[in-house]
Amino acid sequence: MANEIGAEMIGSRQLHRNPSFRNPTFLSTWLLWLVGFLAFPIASLAGTAVGGRLSNPVSALIGGAVCGVVIGVGQVLVSRRRLDPLIWVPLSAIGMGLGLLLGSTVVDYGTTLAELALMGAVTGLVLGTAQAIALPRRARRRWLWALGVAALWALGWTLTTLVGVDVDAQHTNFGAIGAAAATALSGLLLHFLLPYHPASGVWLPSRRVTTSTLGPQ
């Protein structure tokens, strides 16, 4: 009798198994991406070490490419497998190298706030376009990534200049403060364009549980 009453109660309530406790939250995914800002100062040091001061086309192209490789690798590592390293890293290197070459040439390697912001915007637009091409096919409105990176690179150089970093040293990329801001905002943009979908079996669709799925009573 008790079993019959229990079965009727379960059938009427039509319980749902909800595996949401196993779903990675947006916050954890965004915080992991935020850790990637550490790649930016490392990339700047590596680019400057290999290419030298940002004072001529050769240093801009080589230093920018090295910088792009380091940033690209860092972003892949914190992307939760959303980005393909075989595509993302090479295109990041190409985009950053060509972008920095074009951006620094436009401002004639100047280091005023306005010049660095403009250089960042041009660099970011070329880099963002290359990375937008590298986004997976399921990414939506990928062109927003190109515009977003352009704005964020300008922001990164602006913040770096305002906090008093020695920009006259002509590094290949902006500093940690600018990197943290750019990474935080790019994480929000990436979530909009390319939400995290774990591998099959991690996120499970909810299924209805009725008396028929409980087996014999």
Side-chain angles (χ1 to χ4, degrees):
M1 182 66 177
N3 288 340
E4 292 178 358
I5 295 176
E8 290 177 0
M9 292 178 62
I10 292 174
S12 62
R13 290 168 58 188
Q14 292 185 313
L15 297 177
H16 289 72
R17 184 182 67 171
N18 185 358
S20 61
F21 66 92
R22 288 185 287 178
N23 292 1
T25 64
F26 157 72
L27 181 59
S28 65
T29 301
W30 178 76
L31 288 175
L32 178 60
W33 177 264
L34 184 57
V35 174
F37 92 91
L38 295 173
F40 283 72
I42 297 174
S44 181
L45 292 174
T48 304
V50 175
R53 292 169 61 101
L54 186 59
S55 58
N56 58 75
V58 175
S59 65
L61 182 61
I62 296 177
V66 172
C67 195
V69 168
V70 177
I71 291 175
V73 170
Q75 290 176 329
V76 166
L77 291 176
V78 296
S79 69
R80 301 192 94 156
R81 295 182 294 180
R82 285 177 290 176
L83 306 176
D84 184 349
L86 298 180
I87 302 175
W88 187 264
V89 175
L91 286 183
S92 294
I94 294 171
M96 185 70 183
L98 294 178
L100 191 59
L101 172 62
L102 180 59
S104 59
T105 301
V106 167
V107 300
D108 195 23
Y109 309 100
T111 57
T112 66
L113 175 59
E115 288 171 332
L116 290 176
L118 177 58
M119 183 183 75
V122 174
T123 302
L125 182 60
V126 179
L127 171 62
T129 300
Q131 290 185 331
I133 296 172
L135 287 172
R137 293 178 60 183
R138 67 182 181 86
R140 53 189 179 184
R141 300 176 184 175
R142 64 181 64 232
W143 56 270
L144 287 175
W145 184 259
L147 298 179
V149 173
L152 294 177
W153 248 244
L155 174 65
W157 274 115
T158 298
L159 293 177
T160 296
T161 305
L162 291 177
V163 298
V165 174
D166 182 17
V167 293
D168 290 331
Q170 294 179 301
H171 296 291
T172 54
N173 203 36
F174 43 83
I177 298 298
T183 303
L185 294 174
S186 67
L188 299 177
L189 179 58
L190 185 64
H191 176 73
F192 173 74
L193 301 178
L194 190 66
Y196 173 57
H197 293 298
S200 176
V202 180
W203 277 4
L204 299 176
S206 297
R207 65 183 179 90
R208 302 177 76 84
V209 179
T210 62
T211 54
S212 62
T213 63
L214 295 176
Q217 301 296 326

